[in-house]
Every structure is written in structure tokens, then in C-alpha cells.
């Protein structure tokens, strides 16, 4: 036997042994994942993304069914069936691509993937052991309410709480919201004196709510004395993601968690009017210039230079574009992605439509000073008419029927979660 033949035989033996080893490792990882999955399935639903291996996880998440697909799927077709079908397609596609690759390269790739997945699994399990969100809705502590003047407000509050809880209980296992813990609590403000967690929803009274939190925390004597800049740029309030995991867990389990929401179309139009119809040194050069450049035919040089004068129809085209020239912004991001209402059990759900009544009732619940009332002034552009449904209808007239429907679809989870009525499109 020639030397070259011996070398070839040795190489074949090495590759064969390597492939058997990889196959054994794959089987071990499959069994390990199967066991872990049955112990941590509910938690994985909440904390799928971790810092390490995020790109690999995102590839997996991209194969999961979107909530819109679930909404349009046949009723007799389960989410699990859809997921299995899509996963099979992905696996088969990868398999067909790998057939043309050298055997040694495939083995190396498999080992690399397994190593990355092991790191991800360990990081997830470590995080899941440290975080334990309350699994059920807690009753509101109403011991400080001494009269019946809040009866109607209380009844409305209970209806909202149970509606959201029932919605999440029914659909949370299917909508597959995935996020990292720190991102999930990054919009939540903390007031430790009265043990309050407030999730900020821009264009739903958030400026005045932050003023209230500053007064409760002893940072100011009156909400009316706090300027807009102090509210938004003063860094006086702490956010929940500034605490360690134990601090986050303790506060989520024991503090009163509140969120104030608004009709999605009202909130969207309000954001557009605020950011694009008035001079703005950030939104015009950052968002305005990019929107005009991509969505306006024959745009004038001045508009391209300043980014001023964005039209509502152009703004909606940007919003609905999966290839946006600039990213999303918290002022028009969905509430479901700002505050994660199906992952965090909010104790109190206020609505902008009944803002003062809800807010003052909440202040009674948490034992705020009797003289502290929610401020009713408009934070900016006070001379402008407040955005209401009549104003919204005027803006919607600028859109085609398809654009109106797609805009509603963009916010459909917010409509469903908080029981808002879909506008006539």
C-alpha cells in the first residue's frame, strides 16, 4: 500500500470518528434540551433573548410565527403546528445547502453551533433562576379609599385589569413576545418612597406623570413648578433597569405597577403633530431629512437640507416600511413593545381619555399627600388644539383606505390589549 493511500485511509478514519462524535454530541444536546425545555418552557417564553449569542437566537426567532400570522391562521391549525412546519423548512433548507460543503467543514460548523448553543442555554438558565415574575394578578390594596366617590372609577379599573389579564392568559402563549429582561423594564420609572413602578408611554400624559413622581420623591414641592427640560433631561428619576436583578425582582413583586395608555391613532397623530409640525432640533434633521429623501418625489433642496415639513402621509409610509431609513422612536412605538403588558402584570391601567380621574384615584390608592393632584396643563404647544378623535379623522383623510388599514394593523395588539375600538377605515 502506498503512503498516499495510507494517508487517505487515516483521513477517512478521522472524519468518520469525528462525525460519530458529533452525532453523539447532537443526541446528548437534544436530550438535554428536551429535559430543560419541559422544566423551563414558561420562562423561555419571557426571556429568550440574552446578551451572549443574540445573533444566533435572532435567527431562530425570525422563524417563529408573527402575531399577525396567528391572527390569520386557520382555527384548526395550532401555533405549535405552524412552528414545527416552519422549523422543518429551515432545517431542510440548511441540510440541502450543507450537502455541497466538505465533510470536515460541516463537522466544524456543527461543533461551533453546539458550543454557541451551550453558552446560550447556560446564560438563560442562570438568568431564569434569578428572575421570578408574579404569575397571577394581584388584588389592588384599597384600604386607603375612605369614601364612595371613586366607585365608578374603581369599577372601570377592575374591568380593564381583568380584560387585559384574560387577554394575556389566552394569547400570551401564542404571540411569542421575546425580549431581554433589561430591555423589558427599561421604560419603567421607580419611586421608592411610595413603592411605585410607572411605565412611561409617550403622548399619554407621561410628562405630568414624571412630575408627580418627582413630587412624591421629594424632589419638588409642586408639579407646576417643574419645567419640561427638568422632566425629560434632568435625570432626577431612576429607572428599573438601573437596579441589579435582585432589586428588579423585589420591586416587580412588591411595588404597585401602573401604566397609562391612549387610543393608538390619537397617540400616533399627537406624536406627529408634536415632532413634525413644530420646530424641532432633533426630529427634523434625524427623522425628517431621511423621510423626505426616501418618500418625497422631486424633493426641494431646502426640505432635504432641513428635514422640515414632513407630511402625514410620508410619515405613515416611513412607519409602515419594513426597510425604514431610520429606526423606530418611543413616541410612536407600540405600547406592547414599550411596556410588555403580557409579561409584566400591571396593577393599575389608566387611560388618557379619563386621565385626571384615573390618576387622582391612583394617588389615593398609594397614599399620596391629600393636596397632591394630577396637573391638567398641556406640557408643550399649549395654544394648539388637543389631539382628539375629530382631529385624528382629519389626518386619516390624507391616507388611502389601504394605508389606514395597515396603520391599524401596525397597532392591532395595542387595540386588543386595552379594548380600544378600531376606527372606521
Amino acid at each position: 500500500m502506498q503512503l498516499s493511500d495510507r494517508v487517505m485511509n487515516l483521513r477517512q478514519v478521522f472524519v468518520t470518528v469525528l462525525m460519530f462524535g458529533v452525532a453523539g454530541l447532537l443526541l446528548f444536546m437534544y436530550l438535554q434540551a428536551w429535559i430543560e425545555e419541559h422544566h423551563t418552557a414558561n420562562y423561555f417564553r419571557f426571556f429568550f433573548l440574552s446578551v451572549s449569542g443574540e445573533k444566533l437566537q435572532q435567527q431562530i426567532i425570525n422563524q417563529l410565527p408573527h402575531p399577525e400570522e396567528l391572527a390569520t391562521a386557520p382555527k384548526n391549525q395550532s401555533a405549535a403546528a405552524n412552528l414545527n412546519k416552519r422549523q422543518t423548512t429551515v432545517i431542510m433548507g440548511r441540510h440541502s445547502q450543507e450537502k455541497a460543503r466538505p465533510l470536515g467543514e460541516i463537522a466544524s460548523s456543527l461543533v461551533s453551533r453546539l458550543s454557541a448553543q451551550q453558552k446560550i442555554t447556560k446564560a438563560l438558565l442562570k438568568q431564569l433562576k434569578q428572575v421570578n415574575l408574579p404569575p397571577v394578578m394581584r388584588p389592588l390594596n384599597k384600604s386607603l379609599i375612605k369614601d364612595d366617590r371613586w366607585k365608578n372609577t374603581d369599577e372601570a379599573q377592575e374591568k380593564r385589569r381583568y380584560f387585559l389579564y384574560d387577554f394575556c392568559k389566552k394569547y400570551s402563549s401564542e404571540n411569542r413576545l421575546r425580549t431581554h429582561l433589561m430591555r423589558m423594564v427599561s421604560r419603567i420609572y421607580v419611586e421608592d418612597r411610595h413603592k411605585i413602578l410607572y411605565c412611561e408611554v409617550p403622548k399619554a400624559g407621561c410628562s405630568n406623570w414624571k412630575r408627580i413622581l418627582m413630587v412624591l420623591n421629594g424632589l419638588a414641592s409642586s408639579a407646576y413648578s417643574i419645567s419640561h427640560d427638568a422632566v425629560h433631561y434632568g435625570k432626577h428619576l431612576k429607572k428599573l433597569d438601573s437596579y441589579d436583578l435582585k432589586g428588579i425582582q423585589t420591586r416587580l413583586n412588591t411595588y404597585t405597577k401602573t401604566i397609562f395608555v391612549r387610543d393608538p391613532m390619537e397617540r400616533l397623530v399627537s406624536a406627529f403633530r408634536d415632532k413634525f409640525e413644530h420646530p424641532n432640533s432633533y426630529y427634523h434633521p434625524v427623522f425628517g431629512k431621511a423621510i423626505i429623501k426616501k418618500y418625497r418625489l422631486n424633493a426641494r433642496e431646502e426640505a432635504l437640507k432641513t428635514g422640515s415639513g414632513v407630511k402625514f402621509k410620508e410619515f405613515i409610509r416611513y412607519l409602515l416600511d419594513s426597510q425604514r431609513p431610520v429606526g423606530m422612536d418611543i413616541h410612536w412605538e407600540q405600547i406592547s413593545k414599550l411596556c410588555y403588558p403580557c409579561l409584566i402584570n400591571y396593577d393599575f391601567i389608566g387611560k388618557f381619555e379619563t386621565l385626571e380621574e384615573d390618576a387622582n384615584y391612583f394617588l389615593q390608592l398609594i397614599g399620596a399627600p391629600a393636596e397632591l393632584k394630577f396637573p391638567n396643563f398641556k406640557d408643550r404647544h399649549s395654544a394648539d388644539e388637543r389631539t382628539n378623535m375629530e382631529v385624528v379623522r382629519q389626518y386619516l383623510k390624507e391616507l388611502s383606505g389601504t394605508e389606514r388599514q395597515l396603520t391599524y394593523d401596525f397597532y392591532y395588539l395595542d387595540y386588543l390589549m386595552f379594548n380600544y375600538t378600531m376606527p372606521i377605515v
Side-chain angles (χ1 to χ4, degrees):
M1 183 180 293
Q2 296 182 359
L3 180 61
S4 60
D5 291 334
R6 291 180 180 177
V7 171
M8 277 297 289
N9 287 339
L10 287 172
R11 184 176 298 170
Q12 289 175 352
V13 169
F14 171 78
V15 171
T16 301
V17 170
L18 179 61
M19 289 305 297
F20 272 112
V22 170
L25 187 57
L26 278 169
L27 179 60
F28 171 77
M29 286 294 295
Y30 173 80
L31 292 174
Q32 183 184 46
W34 185 89
I35 293 170
E36 291 171 345
E37 180 183 5
H38 282 67
H39 283 285
T40 61
N42 290 330
Y43 291 107
F44 268 79
R45 192 177 301 129
F46 297 153
F47 302 107
F48 192 78
L49 282 179
S50 65
V51 176
S52 62
E54 187 168 354
K55 290 184 179 180
L56 178 60
Q57 290 177 342
Q58 190 61 53
Q59 293 173 4
I60 299 171
I61 289 171
N62 289 339
Q63 310 307 323
L64 298 173
H66 190 273
E68 294 176 3
E69 296 176 18
L70 291 166
T72 58
K75 292 183 178 180
N76 60 351
Q77 186 174 355
S78 67
N82 290 333
L83 177 58
N84 289 336
K85 182 178 180 181
R86 295 186 65 167
Q87 287 177 330
T88 301
T89 304
V90 173
I91 292 169
M92 291 302 291
R94 288 177 180 168
H95 180 69
S96 62
Q97 292 173 1
E98 289 177 344
K99 283 182 177 178
R101 297 166 60 192
L103 195 58
E105 186 179 339
I106 295 173
S108 177
S109 176
L110 286 171
V111 171
S112 177
R113 287 184 197 173
L114 287 171
S115 177
Q117 189 58 48
Q118 281 181 317
K119 292 179 181 178
I120 293 168
T121 302
K122 289 179 180 178
L124 283 168
L125 290 174
K126 182 179 179 181
Q127 191 176 50
L128 298 180
K129 290 176 182 177
Q130 294 173 319
V131 179
N132 180 28
L133 295 181
V136 296
M137 183 175 64
R138 301 183 307 180
L140 275 172
N141 180 4
K142 303 173 186 177
S143 60
L144 297 176
I145 304 298
K146 304 300 182 183
D147 54 55
D148 293 333
R149 62 180 292 233
W150 302 107
K151 181 179 179 181
N152 292 337
T153 308
D154 178 67
E155 290 176 354
Q157 181 58 218
E158 291 300 331
K159 287 179 181 178
R160 293 173 193 167
R161 280 159 41 88
Y162 279 99
F163 184 90
L164 177 61
Y165 181 77
D166 288 341
F167 171 85
C168 294
K169 186 177 180 181
K170 183 176 181 180
Y171 294 107
S172 63
S173 62
E174 296 181 354
N175 64 30
R176 301 185 183 279
L177 291 169
R178 317 274 186 176
T179 189
H180 183 261
L181 173 64
M182 293 303 181
R183 188 181 306 165
M184 188 174 77
V185 301
S186 64
R187 305 306 314 171
I188 296 180
Y189 285 88
V190 180
E191 201 286 288
D192 283 314
R193 284 189 175 185
H194 296 80
K195 297 186 176 181
I196 300 169
L197 298 181
Y198 163 71
C199 187
E200 176 190 26
V201 176
K203 313 311 298 180
C206 68
S207 297
N208 282 338
W209 256 117
K210 286 192 277 189
R211 287 184 171 94
I212 288 290
L213 294 179
M214 290 174 68
V215 173
L216 289 172
N217 204 35
L219 299 172
S221 58
S222 169
Y224 291 87
S225 65
I226 307 172
S227 69
H228 175 85
D229 287 350
V231 168
H232 292 284
Y233 310 117
K235 306 295 183 183
H236 300 297
L237 298 171
K238 295 188 71 173
K239 289 185 177 179
L240 191 53
D241 61 356
S242 67
Y243 295 84
D244 59 19
L245 283 172
K246 184 179 179 182
I248 293 173
Q249 178 186 5
T250 298
R251 287 165 176 80
L252 284 173
N253 284 332
T254 60
Y255 282 24
T256 302
K257 301 176 292 295
T258 184
I259 179 175
F260 274 70
V261 300
R262 187 177 187 177
D263 178 277
M265 287 297 182
E266 267 196 26
R267 182 171 164 255
L268 177 67
V269 172
S270 177
F272 173 78
R273 296 176 72 197
D274 180 24
K275 304 306 178 187
F276 296 102
E277 292 186 349
H278 296 274
N280 193 295
S281 60
Y282 172 73
Y283 285 91
H284 290 192
V286 175
F287 287 87
K289 288 169 67 173
I291 290 173
I292 291 172
K293 181 179 180 181
K294 182 167 185 180
Y295 306 108
R296 184 179 297 181
L297 294 175
N298 303 317
R300 294 183 178 181
E301 189 65 30
E302 181 67 17
L304 291 171
K305 183 179 179 180
T306 65
S308 299
V310 171
K311 299 174 182 177
F312 186 64
K313 190 179 183 72
E314 295 168 337
F315 173 66
I316 294 302
R317 290 188 65 189
Y318 144 79
L319 183 76
L320 302 176
D321 189 352
S322 61
Q323 302 295 324
R324 298 183 192 95
V326 282
M328 281 294 289
D329 182 83
I330 61 171
H331 290 84
W332 47 84
E333 181 68 276
Q334 301 100 318
I335 300 174
S336 58
K337 292 183 179 180
L338 288 172
C339 296
Y340 301 94
C342 279
L343 303 185
I344 297 175
N345 294 317
Y346 288 96
D347 303 298
F348 191 95
I349 303 164
K351 288 196 171 184
F352 186 82
E353 294 76 12
T354 52
L355 177 59
E356 287 185 59
E357 183 179 350
D358 291 344
N360 287 326
Y361 176 52
F362 179 79
L363 291 175
Q364 292 283 311
L365 286 171
I366 55 97
E371 66 275 10
L372 180 61
K373 305 296 180 186
F374 192 82
N376 58 6
F377 63 86
K378 200 170 187 287
D379 191 52
R380 300 180 69 191
H381 316 307
S382 57
D384 290 359
E385 178 185 6
R386 283 188 181 270
T387 302
N388 53 36
M389 286 312 299
E390 183 55 40
V391 172
V392 169
R393 278 190 281 271
Q394 297 304 314
Y395 280 83
L396 291 180
K397 287 180 181 179
E398 301 178 25
L399 309 179
S400 67
T402 299
E403 288 170 330
R404 291 196 295 270
Q405 181 64 54
L406 289 173
T407 306
Y408 162 73
D409 291 343
F410 186 82
Y411 292 103
Y412 86 106
L413 260 185
D414 289 354
Y415 275 100
L416 293 176
M417 285 179 171
F418 303 109
N419 200 22
Y420 279 109
T421 302
M422 174 186 170
I424 299 174
V425 296

